[in-house]
Amino acid sequence: MAGTEITLTVDDANLRQGLQALQARAGSLRPALLDIGEAWLTRTRRRFETESGPGGVAWVPMAKSTRRRRKQSNPKLLRDSHGLFLSLHYSVSETSLTLGTNKIYAAPQHFGHTYTRFARSQVQPRTSKGKNKGKFAKRGRGKAARITIGQHSQTIPARPFVGIDEGDRAIGAEILLRHLGGERG
């Protein structure tokens, strides 16, 4: 994974006992972990559709100013380019399952982050004619004006999308039981 990695460890006694029993019986946890990984990946992707985190906790809505700037009346959270959603994946070894993303911006989106934008000055074109006189213009049109933007902070609210809740644990236990019973699929 490039960039950043978030590690969440599931310390669930029932899942651990099931995994140990399966490993003692079958020798490899890989088939069960592949099935669990697929199920948990599907549930994580569903969180993007419902805009809620593990346990069904709703994400903080997008600020009205952000919606106006993006000219969208009802934008989908964390899905502007679908990059984060499409980068979700899992990998399995003989004894472990990793579910996550390789996007650098995943951690601030998941945990939240406040950052400071320093004061800066920039050239901004402005229109000089018509009903939009004095307003910002598209690049290359109108006269340029130097504007100053003061130092300010911006906060990205936490919108957790990766994690294990009771539903995920139940699905994991069900898959383990199916594998312990010798069933597949």
Side-chain angles (χ1 to χ4, degrees):
M1 288 184 175
T4 188
E5 184 175 320
I6 301 170
T7 302
L8 298 172
T9 303
V10 178
D11 190 22
D12 184 283
N14 292 335
L15 279 176
R16 195 171 342 110
Q17 286 175 348
L19 287 169
Q20 289 170 347
L22 182 62
Q23 189 172 21
R25 185 169 172 219
S28 175
L29 301 175
R30 191 171 173 78
L33 291 175
L34 285 167
D35 288 350
I36 292 171
E38 195 61 38
W40 285 359
L41 178 63
T42 300
R43 287 179 58 88
T44 301
R45 286 184 173 153
R46 196 168 297 128
R47 290 181 183 131
F48 280 77
E49 296 165 9
T50 61
E51 296 186 353
S52 61
V57 178
W59 290 342
V60 176
M62 190 178 293
K64 289 181 182 179
S65 60
T66 305
R67 285 197 306 262
R68 274 194 303 268
R69 192 171 54 246
R70 294 181 183 181
K71 295 185 174 110
Q72 297 172 324
S73 60
N74 192 18
K76 299 292 181 192
L77 294 171
L78 303 184
R79 295 201 54 184
D80 276 355
S81 67
H82 296 282
L84 186 59
F85 177 80
L86 293 174
S87 71
L88 291 169
H89 65 280
Y90 69 93
S91 61
V92 172
S93 73
E94 289 301 315
T95 59
S96 69
L97 164 66
T98 304
L99 174 71
T101 176
N102 62 352
K103 297 295 184 183
I104 291 173
Y105 58 87
Q109 295 295 340
H110 184 86
F111 296 110
H113 182 69
T114 299
Y115 61 96
T116 301
R117 305 270 325 243
F118 296 103
R120 64 189 186 279
S121 178
Q122 66 188 43
V123 175
Q124 181 69 48
R126 295 183 179 262
T127 60
S128 58
K129 298 179 186 174
K131 67 179 182 177
N132 293 326
K133 184 176 181 179
K135 295 188 177 177
F136 295 121
K138 291 182 179 177
R139 197 172 296 276
R141 297 185 183 192
K143 295 183 178 182
R146 180 162 290 283
I147 61 171
T148 302
I149 301 169
Q151 179 175 326
H152 60 283
S153 294
Q154 291 182 314
T155 299
I156 299 170
R159 295 185 176 108
F161 54 90
V162 175
I164 307 301
D165 60 17
E166 289 305 316
D168 295 321
R169 283 186 180 92
I171 287 174
E174 179 184 315
I175 291 170
L176 285 175
L177 287 174
R178 197 168 56 231
H179 281 268
L180 279 170
E183 298 178 32
R184 281 286 304 184

